[in-house]
Amino acid sequence: MPYICIMKIVFATNNPNKLKEVRQLLPSIEIVSLQEIGCTENIPETANTLEGNAIIKANYITKNYGFDCFADDTGLEVEALNGAPGVFSARYAGKANSEKNMQKLLTELNDKLNKKAQFRTVVALNLKGKQHLFEGVCTGEILTKKHGEKGFGYDPIFKPTGFNQSFAQMTLEEKGTISHRGKAIKKLIDFLNII
Ligand code: IMP
């Protein structure tokens, strides 16, 4: 395993919830936000895969701002909907609105017995001129209504396998040990061998 010493790195996201989760997962590194490097523009996510969008975001920052960085893209893949909303999870109901996205998904699954779903995160890391991808998957099911107030996005309607709480009923730490993002970041940590 390589030992790569990095003290700080840019996380290419404008999502404060993702920042909070990743800072909790990577306490030994200073995670620098886009705001902190002066990047206020919305990076267009035009790919039709999670991998593609994670790469677009990481490459945008490295190319335009010159920083090593990592980016994540996440999708909720629902079995009865053939993997939808997947890469289109953010705008499933037309606009980037979590409440409307959840309501649409609950309506779509209303008459379906199969509620199986998984969150999948792809992290793209640009480091010292090379790119590395890490994937994390968390299987579970879509609940019939919202449970809990914590977290963000689809958290109130997603219950991970083996647990009887939704992500929105868990603490940041609990979610981080089992979540898609937690697993992808764990792979990044193992790659960097920093803990
Ligand atoms: P993106 O990775 O920012 O493109 O996220 C896609 C969609 O999934 C957005 O609607 C997010 O709110 C949602 N999302 C991303 N990560 C999570 C998560 O960990 N829990 C719940 N929803 C999430």
Side-chain angles (χ1 to χ4, degrees):
M1 273 288 186
Y3 179 82
I4 300 172
C5 182
I6 49 172
M7 306 304 286
K8 61 175 170 179
I9 189 159
V10 175
F11 179 28
T13 185
N14 281 314
N15 183 330
N17 295 293
K18 285 188 181 180
L19 255 181
K20 220 192 290 171
E21 285 191 7
V22 165
R23 282 184 169 141
Q24 187 269 328
L25 292 162
L26 274 169
S28 60
I29 295 182
E30 186 187 338
I31 304 294
V32 182
S33 68
L34 289 186
Q35 210 182 353
E36 285 165 313
I37 63 165
C39 173
T40 51
E41 58 269 30
N42 227 348
I43 306 169
E45 296 178 29
T46 50
N48 55 11
T49 61
L50 299 176
E51 290 76 4
N53 279 337
I55 289 170
I56 287 176
K57 289 185 259 189
N59 285 356
Y60 183 94
I61 296 307
T62 301
K63 183 165 172 258
N64 294 292
Y65 291 84
F67 292 113
D68 282 345
C69 73
F70 66 98
D72 103 338
D73 202 50
T74 296
L76 179 56
E77 301 169 336
V78 179
E79 196 172 275
L81 303 177
N82 300 315
V87 70
F88 305 110
S89 295
R91 288 168 196 282
Y92 186 44
K95 281 194 174 146
N97 179 313
S98 292
E99 206 51 50
K100 289 194 171 140
N101 286 340
M102 282 189 286
Q103 286 316 321
K104 176 166 178 186
L105 189 52
L106 291 176
T107 306
E108 292 282 336
L109 288 182
N110 208 10
D111 60 346
K112 306 261 194 305
L113 286 179
N114 180 2
K115 309 274 188 195
K116 283 188 200 159
Q118 64 177 30
F119 270 114
R120 193 161 69 85
T121 287
V122 176
V123 168
L125 169 71
N126 284 351
L127 187 67
K128 300 183 194 304
K130 288 203 174 130
Q131 188 161 74
H132 312 270
L133 297 180
F134 308 95
E135 186 190 69
V137 172
C138 180
T139 63
E141 65 183 76
I142 305 299
L143 298 165
T144 51
K145 63 181 176 72
K146 295 195 295 171
H147 292 267
E149 303 286 327
K150 299 197 236 323
F152 69 102
Y154 295 89
D155 278 350
I157 60 168
F158 183 82
K159 185 181 83 61
T161 306
F163 293 80
N164 51 20
Q165 288 183 314
S166 77
F167 268 161
Q169 292 172 302
M170 297 181 175
T171 62
L172 207 60
E173 290 76 14
E174 284 168 335
K175 183 184 171 190
T177 56
I178 55 170
S179 78
H180 41 295
R181 187 165 299 101
K183 288 177 182 168
I185 295 294
K186 173 78 172 64
K187 287 183 186 170
L188 180 143
I189 290 170
D190 289 346
F191 170 76
L192 297 174
N193 202 7
I194 50 175
I195 283 187

